[in-house]
């Protein structure tokens, strides 16, 4: 008995124009009918004819003065039909209505949350969640205000023995000039700690690392480095009594960007034994909390 050969199953797009798998058939786009209907209703002149004169007058006062109006004072139908800001506002109002954001209880809770957030009630949670889920500390905005911790100066942190010889302060700042993007990064090493001062070894010029470190990196990579340098010309030693002094010295040695008016505490990150201790801003903040709450 000879079996009849079955036709092969078609998996690709059909050549039949009437078939749903036809290439020429446009895809169906999901459209919210209520969204379109409401916009069309508001753009239909007959819709506004159902309002009384008092209602129309009150409604028109809700619109900005620049909105075009008809001779009788009503809103222009063309504007209601084609203005993008108006159409976006209607859709946003519908989204808020669907999500319950116009409910009086929701708005009361949202207003209370704004006050609590401004008071810092959620700061600890945000910090913990950010580091837990992303594995890194948040970047500190350069224009962030330090609050009461700003009363602490560098001399206070030095007196509290928060720094050690061999610690690195990593300076990082990006300056944009037109289409040019200049990034200055320097690893500054603490060499001496006085009663109220710190002495740093700063790489010269535009170098991030000291020349000896750069030579070691080149040797490990198998490339030929420059001639060995002495301790005198390897780094620039500089003693500071405040953080701004170190930032200005780095910018002076680099010579490519202007001095900053933002807080210098956010430009440095502290490293000890290749471990990140946070920015100077964070170190000062943590010490302030420890000093006043413990």
């Amino acid at each position: 008995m000879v079996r009849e050969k079955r036709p092969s199953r078609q998996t690709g797009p059909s050549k039949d124009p009437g078939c749903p798998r036809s290439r020429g058939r446009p895809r169906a786009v999901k459209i919210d009918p209520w969204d379109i209907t409401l916009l069309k209703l508001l753009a239909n002149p007959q819709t506004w004819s159902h309002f009384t004169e008092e209602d129309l007058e009150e409604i028109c006062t809700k619109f900005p003065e620049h909105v075009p109006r008809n001779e009788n004072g009503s809103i222009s139908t063309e504007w209601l039909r084609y203005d993008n800001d108006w159409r976006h506002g209607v859709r946003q109002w519908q989204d808020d209505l669907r999500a319950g954001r116009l409910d009086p209880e929701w708005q009361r809770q949202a207003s209370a949350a704004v006050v609590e957030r401004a008071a810092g009630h959620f700061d600890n949670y945000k910090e913990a969640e950010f580091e837990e889920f992303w594995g890194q500390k948040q970047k500190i905005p350069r224009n962030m205000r330090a609050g009461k911790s700003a009363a602490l100066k560098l001399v206070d942190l030095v007196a509290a023995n928060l720094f050690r010889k061999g610690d690195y302060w990593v300076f990082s700042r990006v300056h944009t000039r037109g289409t040019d993007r200049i990034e200055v990064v320097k690893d500054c090493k603490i060499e001496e700690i006085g009663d109220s001062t710190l002495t740093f070894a700063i790489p010269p010029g535009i170098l991030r690392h000291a020349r000896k470190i750069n030579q070691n990196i080149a040797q490990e990579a198998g490339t030929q480095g420059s001639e060995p340098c002495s301790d005198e010309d390897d780094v620039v030693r500089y003693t500071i009594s405040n953080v701004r002094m170190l930032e200005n010295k780095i910018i002076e040695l680099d010579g490519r960007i202007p001095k900053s008016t933002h807080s210098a505490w956010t430009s440095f990150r502290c490293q000890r034994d290749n471990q990140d201790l946070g920015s100077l801003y964070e170190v000062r903040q943590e010490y302030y909390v420890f000093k006043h709450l413990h």
Side-chain angles (χ1 to χ4, degrees):
M1 180 177 178
V2 180
R3 294 184 178 180
E4 182 180 356
K5 187 176 180 181
R6 295 181 179 179
S8 60
R9 184 178 180 182
Q10 183 176 357
T11 57
S14 173
K15 296 181 180 180
D16 182 5
C19 178
R21 295 195 302 272
S22 175
R23 290 185 179 179
R25 187 180 181 87
R27 289 185 177 182
V29 179
K30 293 183 178 180
I31 300 176
D32 189 340
W34 187 39
D35 188 13
I36 300 300
T37 302
L38 182 59
L39 286 170
K40 286 186 176 180
L41 282 174
L42 295 173
N44 190 341
Q46 294 182 0
T47 302
W48 299 88
S49 64
H50 294 284
F51 293 100
T52 63
E53 293 184 0
E54 292 76 10
D55 292 337
L56 285 175
E57 184 177 355
E58 181 180 356
I59 292 172
C60 291
T61 58
K62 305 296 183 181
F63 286 83
E65 295 182 358
H66 70 272
V67 174
R69 304 170 190 270
N70 299 319
E71 295 181 356
N72 60 355
S74 61
I75 305 301
S76 169
T77 304
E78 295 296 316
W79 184 87
L80 293 171
R81 183 175 300 165
Y82 298 114
D83 186 79
N84 290 329
D85 292 334
W86 163 253
R87 296 170 64 87
H88 173 75
V90 171
R91 294 191 180 99
Q92 185 63 51
W93 178 83
Q94 290 179 267
D95 291 340
D96 291 340
L97 186 62
R98 293 190 192 99
R101 290 190 286 266
L102 300 182
D103 183 81
E105 177 60 21
W106 188 95
Q107 294 190 349
R108 186 195 64 79
Q109 294 180 7
S111 299
V114 169
V115 176
E116 293 178 359
R117 188 178 297 111
H121 292 179
F122 304 107
D123 290 349
N124 293 335
Y125 173 80
K126 290 189 296 182
E127 291 288 342
E129 291 295 301
F130 191 95
E131 189 166 355
E132 178 180 355
F133 286 100
W134 295 100
Q136 61 183 4
K137 296 180 180 296
Q138 294 195 58
K139 292 184 177 180
I140 304 299
R142 294 179 58 83
N143 59 351
M144 178 177 285
R145 296 187 178 184
K148 294 182 179 180
S149 66
L152 293 175
K153 306 303 180 184
L154 180 62
V155 294
D156 300 317
L157 274 60
V158 173
N161 297 320
L162 298 184
F163 308 113
R164 301 177 186 173
K165 286 185 180 181
D167 287 355
Y168 278 88
W169 286 14
V170 181
F171 175 83
S172 177
R173 182 181 159 201
V174 176
H175 178 73
T176 304
R177 182 183 301 160
T179 58
D180 297 332
R181 182 177 182 274
I182 303 174
E183 182 177 12
V184 179
V185 182
K186 281 190 181 295
D187 292 356
C188 306
K189 182 180 180 181
I190 298 179
E191 289 200 339
E192 297 293 339
I193 300 178
D195 294 335
S196 59
T197 60
L198 296 175
T199 300
F200 285 87
I202 310 173
I206 63 174
L207 297 177
R208 171 173 181 172
H209 306 287
R211 289 195 180 96
K212 284 187 176 181
I213 297 178
N214 287 330
Q215 289 173 357
N216 294 336
I217 294 175
Q219 292 173 1
E220 292 176 0
T223 58
Q224 184 66 30
S226 58
E227 294 295 327
C229 56
S230 62
D231 292 339
E232 286 73 16
D233 61 2
D234 182 43
V235 294
V236 175
R237 289 174 174 79
Y238 191 65
T239 302
I240 67 168
S241 58
N242 61 72
V243 180
R244 178 69 70 185
M245 291 176 61
L246 182 59
E247 181 184 55
N248 290 342
K249 187 63 177 179
I250 291 173
I251 294 174
E252 175 189 332
L253 293 173
D254 183 272
R256 293 179 295 168
I257 64 175
K259 293 182 179 180
S260 173
T261 57
H262 295 294
S263 171
W265 291 79
T266 60
S267 299
F268 293 91
R269 297 195 71 85
C270 302
Q271 291 185 357
R272 179 176 298 162
D273 299 329
N274 294 324
Q275 298 296 318
D276 182 70
L277 304 181
S279 68
L280 278 180
Y281 178 95
E282 293 169 318
V283 171
R284 179 175 64 176
Q285 197 81 6
E286 291 292 335
Y287 177 64
Y288 176 85
V289 173
F290 174 82
K291 183 178 178 182
H292 289 82
L293 300 183
H294 291 77

